[in-house]
């Protein structure tokens, strides 16, 4: 069986959990480019390019082995199943049935004269996909889903329609999986979801995320906890205080912005304004020294004028952001933004996107340059990069580092003195071995 994830980190987590379930059933996991009996593609529909990449993955699997069973699941499969069938999918499983994918595949194969043993190990009691150990033994950092769905209903976004309302995974279940993953060798876990910051809100427990983080700090063998993305309105005072005092929470905060113009934010249905975002980002930068702060930014939203865009660029330039994830507005059928006037032409989106990408590259380079001469603790992920004697890893504040390790081996920590910075990574020498 071969797997492919398209889109977000939550999709990748789900693929890892599905791999765990099939591996536990005795199936052999092979790379997606290899010939396989079954291909599973976890699709994305957040933009038109997500749709296209999902169809492309289905067609690639069908070309690699025309006789294979090609399974499409995920958000695009939920929204447009017939388009994936047209692309060559043998079986389409929507998000509401993803936890039963093994059973759905088993039934499908039986109808076609084959068989498959299945295991329930990849599904938790609350219906979330889970894994207890890495299938890929080279992995040092893992993801852990704590939440699914979203109740924000931004005017451009299709995700609430394909993922459903926000729901939080029970804390005991999360801790059980986190302990098992730490015991299996993961040194860092990233908490993920559709709307991670809203964890607990569906149960009227707005501080549940902080409670979870405090409990995870006590897990033996777990050295780092990373938050993937938290919306601006969900960074509570308690969460900021925890970020300041925690020994395990990574100094890395991804805070989606989407637009730096108040009128555009209002049309997007976002629940904050520039001043609130600025205050939050500056608070994080001031209270958590050397932290990395990233932002999602959308260009080409309907009605966004050149003046509004220029003002947004200036706003972002002044903020203590470390990097930007830039993407273009994509018209999604059934969303309120689809009906807005002044849809932007493709050339405008491209021009604005390129300008913001350049800004993001400059900010990342400046962030890296500020660390030259300083020491960072790096978790080694790749022991020998491109056949060299150099290892690579990630600092807690999201700096990719290339260096000669104190001793061979991945999944260990080294303290590295940064000597030279590029936009994409830094170079350093080992300062002290931590173990």
């Amino acid at each position: 069986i071969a797997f492919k994830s398209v889109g977000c980190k939550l999709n990748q987590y789900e693929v890892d959990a599905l791999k765990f379930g099939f591996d536990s059933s005795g199936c052999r996991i092979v790379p997606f480019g290899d010939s396989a009996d079954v291909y599973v593609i976890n699709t994305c529909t957040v933009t038109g390019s997500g749709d296209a990449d999902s169809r492309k993955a289905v067609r690639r699997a069908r070309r690699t082995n025309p006789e294979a069973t090609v399974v499409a699941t995920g958000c695009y499969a939920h929204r447009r199943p017939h388009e994936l069938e047209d692309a060559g999918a043998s079986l389409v499983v929507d998000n509401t049935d993803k936890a039963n994918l093994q059973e759905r595949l088993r039934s499908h194969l039986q109808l076609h004269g084959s068989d498959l043993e299945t295991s329930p190990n990849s599904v938790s009691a609350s219906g979330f996909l889970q894994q207890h150990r890495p299938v890929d033994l080279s992995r040092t950092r893992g993801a852990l889903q704590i939440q699914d769905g979203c109740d924000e209903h931004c005017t451009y976004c299709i995700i609430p329609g394909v993922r459903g309302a926000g729901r939080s995974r029970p804390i005991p279940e999360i801790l059980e999986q986190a302990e098992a993953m730490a015991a299996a060798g993961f040194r860092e876990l990233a908490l993920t979801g559709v709307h991670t910051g809203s964890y607990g809100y569906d149960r009227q427990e707005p501080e549940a995320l902080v409670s979870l983080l405090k409990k995870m700090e006590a897990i033996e063998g777990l050295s780092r906890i990373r938050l993937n993305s938290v919306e601006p309105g969900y960074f509570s005072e308690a969460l900021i205080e925890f970020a300041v005092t925690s020994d395990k929470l990574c100094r890395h905060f991804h805070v989606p912005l989407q637009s730096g113009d108040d009128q555009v934010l209002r049309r997007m249905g976002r629940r904050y304004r520039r001043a609130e975002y600025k205050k939050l980002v500056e608070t994080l930068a001031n209270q958590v020294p050397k932290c990395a702060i990233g932002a999602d930014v959308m260009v080409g939203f309907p009605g966004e004028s050149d003046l509004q865009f220029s003002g947004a660029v200036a706003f972002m330039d002044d903020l203590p952001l470390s990097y930007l994830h830039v993407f273009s507005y994509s018209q999604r059928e059934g969303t309120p933004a689809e009906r807005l006037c002044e849809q932007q032409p493709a050339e405008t989106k491209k021009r604005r996107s390129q300008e913001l990408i350049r800004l993001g590259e400059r900010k990342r380079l400046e962030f890296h340059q500020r660390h030259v001469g300083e020491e960072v603790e790096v978790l080694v992920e790749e022991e020998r990069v491109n056949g060299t004697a150099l290892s690579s890893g990630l600092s807690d504040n999201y700096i990719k580092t290339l260096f000669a390790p104190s001793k061979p081996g991945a999944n260990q920590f080294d303290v590295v003195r940064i000597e030279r910075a590029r936009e994409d990574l830094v170079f350093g020498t080992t300062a002290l071995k931590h173990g």
Side-chain angles (χ1 to χ4, degrees):
I1 299 184
F3 292 84
K4 174 74 173 178
S5 174
V6 181
C8 67
K9 292 179 180 178
L10 177 56
N11 269 14
Q12 182 59 59
Y13 165 82
E14 291 173 337
V15 160
D16 289 343
L18 289 169
K19 284 182 180 180
F20 166 70
F22 280 103
D23 184 70
S24 300
S25 297
C27 297
R28 183 162 60 93
I29 312 299
V30 299
F32 191 74
D34 288 7
S35 181
D37 302 299
V38 176
Y39 296 88
V40 178
I41 299 104
N42 200 12
T43 64
C44 172
T45 193
V46 71
T47 65
S49 61
D51 293 350
D53 288 345
S54 299
R55 293 192 300 269
K56 181 179 177 181
V58 170
R59 288 194 294 266
R60 180 186 175 191
R62 180 58 64 207
R63 286 196 305 272
T64 305
N65 181 5
E67 303 303 317
T69 298
V70 180
V71 183
T73 187
C75 294
Y76 188 35
H78 191 103
R79 180 168 167 261
R80 292 285 185 271
H82 297 302
E83 293 178 10
L84 288 162
E85 290 171 352
D86 291 344
S90 318
L91 174 65
V92 179
V93 180
D94 68 25
N95 275 332
T96 63
D97 213 16
K98 187 183 292 179
N100 300 315
L101 189 143
Q102 286 193 50
E103 181 61 27
R104 289 287 309 277
L105 177 59
R106 186 186 68 82
S107 298
H108 177 86
L109 292 175
Q110 281 183 337
L111 287 174
H112 292 81
S114 186
D115 200 4
L116 172 73
E117 292 293 330
T118 60
S119 166
N121 292 337
S122 63
V123 184
S124 71
S126 62
F128 284 82
L129 286 167
Q130 64 180 351
Q131 59 171 326
H132 291 156
R133 58 172 171 75
V135 174
D136 180 358
L137 296 178
S138 69
R139 296 277 291 277
T140 63
R141 298 190 298 126
L144 200 170
Q145 184 183 8
I146 66 170
Q147 183 273 343
D148 204 350
C150 182
D151 301 307
E152 295 298 298
H153 296 284
C154 299
T155 61
Y156 54 82
C157 188
I158 198 69
I159 295 305
V162 295
R163 283 279 183 177
R167 59 189 185 98
S168 303
R169 193 174 175 187
I171 285 181
E173 193 175 283
I174 296 170
L175 294 176
E176 181 183 8
Q177 181 176 338
E179 289 167 356
M181 293 178 76
F186 283 113
R187 306 295 295 273
E188 175 183 316
L189 293 179
L191 304 188
T192 188
V194 174
H195 190 344
T196 308
S198 71
Y199 180 80
Y201 278 71
D202 56 312
R203 301 194 299 252
Q204 289 72 54
E205 299 174 8
E207 300 303 335
L209 180 58
V210 176
S211 297
L212 171 63
L213 290 169
K214 289 179 178 178
K215 288 178 170 64
M216 288 187 67
E217 275 197 314
I219 295 176
E220 184 178 354
L222 181 60
S223 303
R224 288 180 182 173
I225 308 166
R226 194 178 297 272
L227 286 173
N228 271 346
S229 180
V230 177
E231 292 286 337
Y234 292 81
F235 254 105
S236 65
E237 291 183 8
L239 181 55
I240 294 174
E241 181 181 351
F242 180 82
V244 172
T245 59
S246 174
D247 293 328
K248 290 191 176 182
L249 187 68
C250 292
R251 297 172 299 159
H252 171 210
F253 311 108
H254 192 84
V255 190
L257 172 60
Q258 307 308 1
S259 175
D261 181 85
D262 280 347
Q263 290 184 350
V264 176
L265 286 172
R266 190 174 295 110
R267 290 199 302 274
M268 287 179 167
R270 304 291 285 176
R271 301 184 185 184
Y272 55 87
R273 297 297 175 258
R274 286 167 37 128
E276 299 164 63
Y277 189 91
K278 182 176 187 291
K279 181 181 178 181
L280 170 61
V281 169
E282 289 179 344
T283 298
L284 289 170
N286 291 331
Q287 295 194 22
V288 186
K290 302 294 183 180
C291 68
I293 306 174
D296 294 326
V297 188
M298 181 188 298
V299 300
F301 190 76
E304 180 189 53
S305 68
D306 285 337
L307 183 62
Q308 288 173 325
F309 175 73
S310 297
V313 172
F315 173 71
M316 285 178 265
D317 198 3
D318 288 339
L319 289 175
L321 295 171
S322 311
Y323 64 91
L324 300 175
H325 283 171
V326 182
F327 61 102
S328 297
Y329 166 75
S330 183
Q331 201 170 12
R332 303 280 81 190
E333 184 179 349
T335 60
E338 180 195 18
R339 301 187 296 272
L340 292 178
C341 300
E342 299 181 69
Q343 298 284 333
Q344 303 289 327
E347 56 268 24
T348 298
K349 295 178 185 179
K350 182 178 180 180
R351 171 174 53 82
R352 293 176 181 173
S353 177
Q354 289 173 340
E355 183 174 348
L356 273 185
I357 288 172
R358 288 193 296 269
L359 173 61
E361 289 172 344
R362 174 165 61 80
K363 281 193 166 288
R364 191 187 291 269
L365 175 60
E366 291 171 350
F367 180 67
H368 287 171
Q369 287 173 333
R370 287 198 295 272
H371 286 78
V372 171
E374 298 185 354
E375 295 178 355
V376 295
E377 187 178 60
V378 176
L379 176 57
V380 180
E381 296 184 75
E382 188 175 358
E383 182 180 352
R384 296 176 65 86
V385 179
N386 296 327
T388 69
L390 297 177
S391 295
S392 71
L394 202 64
S395 69
D396 79 298
N397 58 342
Y398 208 51
I399 299 175
K400 184 177 180 180
T401 307
L402 205 63
F403 65 103
S406 59
K407 71 175 185 179
N411 211 21
Q412 63 179 336
F413 287 98
D414 265 318
V415 176
V416 178
R417 182 180 298 277
I418 297 176
E419 297 180 336
R420 185 161 58 92
R422 289 192 335 205
E423 181 272 323
D424 56 337
L425 52 81
V426 301
F427 298 88
T429 57
T430 304
L432 177 68
K433 178 68 177 66
H434 256 225

